[in-house]
């Protein structure tokens, strides 16, 4: 059966490697796209002058489509222009009004994916021109836009719009993929599982914490809000979370939002170790192509 997301994006397998800030770099994105799914680059905090090189580097490593992601908490028109000039074929937008960015992307011939947390937001995204919507459930890792769980959100969004719906949040194996297909999603958007791809260049201390964590080891809140306040997120519980709770969870304390990449300096265990509840399903480090193959078995 033809899959509407595969047709829209010209991919073989309707799985998207979620954008994950700097952890979703060219190496990971190209490996996922070469395996037939859609890799993405997280460009929200990348200096504008580096964007052309990152997009061109991904293009050089894969002939297949890949995406770029921008968080709309800040003005991103310049970053989007740089990504489109370098030939990015798919643009993912989250955390803000997408309309002007959708128009900018469409003018360059790119497809747009807009993240939503409710049926009403999905209708607004389609009215703004989104080619597909990403329904991100509350169990997701990283910054979490809505408060509804994936099991409820996906079918209400599927019922609300006529564009392909990509389910996000809590999907880490073929069973999760099969489950969101049963809910009507055209595709699956997977973050935490791809943090454990060989091609994902996170710090070894962060990787080991992910491998050891269970589904009860995440924290949801706004504690790591330095630089991006009042934006709820999900991280691994660590010494920073525990010390804050022991101090009575003071509302005025904010820690910096830092994603520890391989070259991070300092106390990595205490940093914001972004992860979804699906971390409890993630058990090993594997090549990205093997992860794509395993997830695809859910279709
Ligand atoms: C380390 C990390 C960083 C993230 N960074 C971004 C980002 O830059 N932009 C974005 O739209 N979503 C970001 N997210 C959210 C993911 O796109 C996705 O919604 C989430 O990972 C799905 O849930 P899962 O982790 O259970 O697969 C991030 C998630 C993680 C785990």
């Amino acid at each position: 059966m033809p899959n509407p997301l595969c047709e829209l994006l010209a991919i073989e397998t309707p799985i998207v490697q979620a954008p994950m800030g700097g952890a979703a770099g060219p190496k990971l994105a190209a490996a996922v796209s070469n395996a037939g799914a859609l890799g993405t680059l997280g460009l929200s905090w990348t200096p504008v002058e580096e964007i052309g090189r990152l997009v061109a580097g991904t293009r050089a490593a894969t002939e297949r489509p890949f995406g770029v992601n921008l968080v709309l908490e800040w003005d991103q028109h310049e970053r989007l222009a740089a990504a489109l000039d370098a030939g990015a074929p798919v643009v993912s937008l989250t955390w803000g009004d997408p309309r002007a960015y959708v128009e900018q992307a469409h003018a360059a011939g790119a497809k747009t994916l807009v993240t939503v947390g409710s049926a009403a937001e999905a209708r607004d995204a389609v009215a703004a021109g989104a080619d597909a919507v990403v329904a991100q459930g509350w169990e997701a890792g990283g910054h979490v836009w809505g408060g509804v769980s994936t099991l409820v959100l996906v079918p209400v969004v599927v019922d609300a719009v006529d564009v392909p719906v990509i389910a996000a949040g809590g999907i880490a194996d073929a069973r999760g993929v099969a489950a969101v297909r049963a809910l009507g999603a055209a595709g699956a958007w997977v973050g935490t599982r791809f943090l454990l791809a060989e091609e994902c260049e996170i710090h070894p201390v962060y990787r080991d914490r992910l491998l050891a964590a269970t589904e009860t080891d995440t924290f949801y809140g706004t504690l790591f809000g330095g630089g991006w306040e009042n934006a709820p997120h999900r991280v691994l519980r660590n010494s920073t979370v525990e010390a804050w709770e022991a101090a009575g969870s003071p509302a005025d304390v904010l820690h910096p939002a830092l994603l520890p990449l391989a070259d991070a300096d300092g106390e990595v265990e205490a940093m914001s170790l972004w992860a979804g509840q699906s971390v409890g399903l993630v058990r090993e480090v594997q090549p990205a192509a093997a992860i794509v193959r395993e997830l695809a078995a859910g279709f």
Side-chain angles (χ1 to χ4, degrees):
M1 266 228 311
N3 176 291
L5 188 67
C6 291
E7 286 181 1
L8 175 71
L9 302 179
I11 56 176
E12 280 167 24
T13 305
I15 286 169
V16 181
Q17 163 252 310
M20 297 185 287
K27 215 166 140 184
L28 177 62
V32 171
S33 289
N34 281 331
L38 188 81
T40 72
L41 301 175
L43 298 181
S44 298
W45 301 273
T46 306
V48 175
E49 53 282 7
E50 282 177 31
I51 286 181
R53 185 178 58 77
L54 289 180
V55 174
T58 312
R59 178 43 77 228
T62 183
E63 291 178 353
R64 302 192 182 194
F66 59 91
V68 299
N69 166 264
L70 293 167
V71 172
L72 305 183
E73 171 79 5
W74 307 277
D75 185 288
Q76 298 285 16
H77 289 287
E78 258 189 87
R79 285 193 179 89
L80 180 55
L84 293 169
D85 284 349
V90 178
V91 175
S92 135
L93 303 164
T94 186
W95 222 277
D97 182 357
R99 187 174 298 269
Y101 299 92
V102 168
E103 284 170 12
Q104 192 181 347
H106 282 170
K111 303 291 187 209
T112 55
L113 318 176
V114 174
T115 297
V116 302
S118 69
E121 282 176 11
R123 282 190 287 268
D124 288 348
V126 172
D131 297 302
V133 295
V134 182
Q136 189 205 35
W138 185 78
E139 50 273 71
H143 284 84
V144 184
W145 174 244
V148 181
S149 67
T150 303
L151 191 66
V152 172
L153 183 64
V154 171
V156 296
V157 170
V158 166
D159 287 346
V161 296
D162 289 332
V163 300
V165 175
I166 312 171
I171 307 161
D173 62 21
R175 294 169 296 180
V177 171
V180 297
R181 287 288 288 157
L183 297 175
W189 177 282
V190 178
T192 300
R193 176 89 193 256
F194 280 110
L195 280 175
L196 275 303
E198 278 173 12
E199 295 86 348
C200 187
E201 293 169 321
I202 57 172
H203 196 280
V205 169
Y206 181 18
R207 182 174 290 140
D208 288 346
R209 290 297 311 264
L210 290 164
L211 286 169
T214 73
E215 68 283 5
T216 58
D217 287 335
T218 71
F219 164 86
Y220 171 86
T222 54
L223 177 59
F224 294 96
W228 186 3
E229 285 179 37
N230 303 316
H233 44 261
R234 191 178 295 285
V235 291
L236 291 181
R237 301 187 67 81
N238 63 358
S239 57
T240 303
V241 174
E242 265 145 35
W244 176 75
E245 286 176 343
S249 310
D252 57 335
V253 172
L254 290 184
H255 288 272
L258 287 175
L259 196 164
L261 295 177
D263 59 358
D265 281 334
E267 193 61 36
V268 170
E269 187 281 333
M271 294 180 186
S272 46
L273 305 178
W274 318 101
Q277 293 179 334
S278 63
V279 72
L281 292 163
V282 177
R283 316 211 193 285
E284 56 177 334
V285 176
Q286 291 169 287
I291 298 175
V292 170
R293 263 199 311 277
E294 263 190 42
L295 292 167
F299 286 106

